[in-house]
Amino acid sequence: MTVPAAPRAALVYNPIKVDAATLCAAVERLSEEAGWAPPLMFGTTVDDLGDGATRDALAQGVAAVLVAGGDGTVRAVAGAVSDTGIPLTIVPSGTGNLLARNLRLPLGDAETMVRATFEGDTEDIDIGFATLRRPDGQVDEHAFVVMGGIGLDAAMIANTNPQLKKTVGWVAYVEGAARSLVNAQPFRVVYQVESHRMHSAKVHSVLFANCGSLPAGLELIPEASVIDGELDVVVFQPAGPFGWLFVWRRVAWDNSVLRRFRAGRRALALRTEDTAVRYSRGPAMDIAPAGAQPVQLDGDEFGEAVHVRTRVKPGALRVTVPSGHTLPV
């Protein structure tokens, strides 16, 4: 009788973001303890952010994929493993960990997450895809797991000092934001969320999100869920410099503080709605700016686009969680 081959896992890691020797040793040890075959190991490179390595691993028949790196590495690997049914274990690494934060995974315990690959549960969550039409007519599609955007938020990321980001992480975006806001000008855009009417407006940014939580406890979109099959859309259109105060109040105070308390939610219900930040929700969205605008996906710049078609694929990404862990809804 033929003995079935033991399952095998693959680890895709960013060698700049992780202690590769320690992490690889842990994956090898826990694989052996679980009775799995020796794991495959792939370090990312400048030319392969992790999607190519993941496809190589899948072609070799792995039963699970682990990813360790920054938000960009997680995005690339998640896009490659989506729709395969192969579970993805996110080992928190780097400085952002935005998907891990939104899933409320343990951020400071890599071994717990590695062990979950062999002993944990799996959950199916949504993943986003953005199709970008470039100024020269070229069209390309990329995955995102947290959020993307067009306009000022993308310019802010493009203006962030790469070395500063490596040193202090997401805090470096504050410096990029300060430099971007100095010359920030609204731009005309036509956008339509599927099942909603078309809008034409002058905006600074349009964000499309799969998750709503940011570092430092900021809730950009409190109602966002990774299991609802919909994108959450945020349109920033502050009127003049003072309009940014309304934006900051909405994100840092209303969403991140008041909504946590019953009395705060009652107070928000009585307040006159301002137009500096507009929210919407739907399974897909089209965005057409009057001219080419910068685009970002999960905190990485993706050049300029003249049209963005973004959509969510419900339940297309299977993720590993520790046993008994419940995803936020």
Side-chain angles (χ1 to χ4, degrees), residues 36-259:
W36 287 40
L40 303 175
M41 305 291 187
F42 300 89
T44 63
T45 65
V46 173
D47 296 324
D48 178 16
L49 299 180
D51 48 335
T54 303
R55 286 190 288 269
D56 286 348
L58 294 173
Q60 296 184 55
V62 297
V65 175
L66 301 91
V67 59
D71 294 324
T73 306
V74 173
R75 179 195 59 74
V77 174
V81 81
S82 66
D83 273 333
T84 66
I86 301 299
L88 176 66
T89 300
I90 303 162
V91 184
S93 313
T95 54
N97 297 308
L98 283 180
L99 182 57
R101 291 174 189 273
N102 278 272
L103 299 180
R104 297 179 185 169
L105 299 177
L107 297 180
D109 190 351
E111 181 146 332
T112 291
M113 287 309 303
V114 174
R115 189 179 296 276
T117 305
F118 314 106
E119 303 175 1
D121 301 326
T122 60
E123 298 279 358
D124 292 337
I125 68 171
D126 305 338
I127 183 172
F129 286 87
T131 303
L132 311 178
R133 182 180 299 134
R134 306 298 185 175
D136 64 0
Q138 178 183 338
V139 175
D140 46 277
E141 184 178 71
H142 306 275
F144 64 93
V145 291
V146 181
M147 66 182 67
I150 184 169
L152 180 60
D153 64 300
M156 174 192 76
I157 288 168
N159 283 331
T160 299
N161 185 302
Q163 190 57 47
L164 189 62
K165 182 181 176 182
K166 290 180 182 179
T167 305
V168 300
W170 68 269
V171 178
Y173 291 133
V174 175
E175 184 258 357
R179 287 199 287 154
S180 300
L181 281 170
V182 172
N183 298 313
Q185 295 293 327
F187 59 95
R188 177 65 63 178
V189 64
V190 174
Y191 67 93
Q192 183 174 24
V193 179
E194 191 170 297
S195 76
H196 294 259
R197 67 184 181 86
M198 186 177 295
H199 292 269
S200 176
K202 274 194 170 183
V203 306
H204 279 84
S205 282
V206 180
L207 296 179
F208 38 90
N210 190 37
C211 306
S213 298
L214 301 175
L218 294 178
E219 294 292 334
L220 178 61
I221 313 166
E223 293 84 8
S225 170
V226 294
I227 56 174
D228 64 359
E230 293 192 305
L231 290 171
D232 283 86
V233 176
V234 189
V235 179
F236 292 104
Q237 47 187 48
F242 286 106
W244 288 106
L245 296 177
F246 290 106
V247 172
W248 181 248
R249 183 186 70 176
R250 176 69 70 90
V251 175
W253 179 247
D254 295 358
N255 293 351
S256 304
V257 178
L258 290 186
R259 285 185 180 273

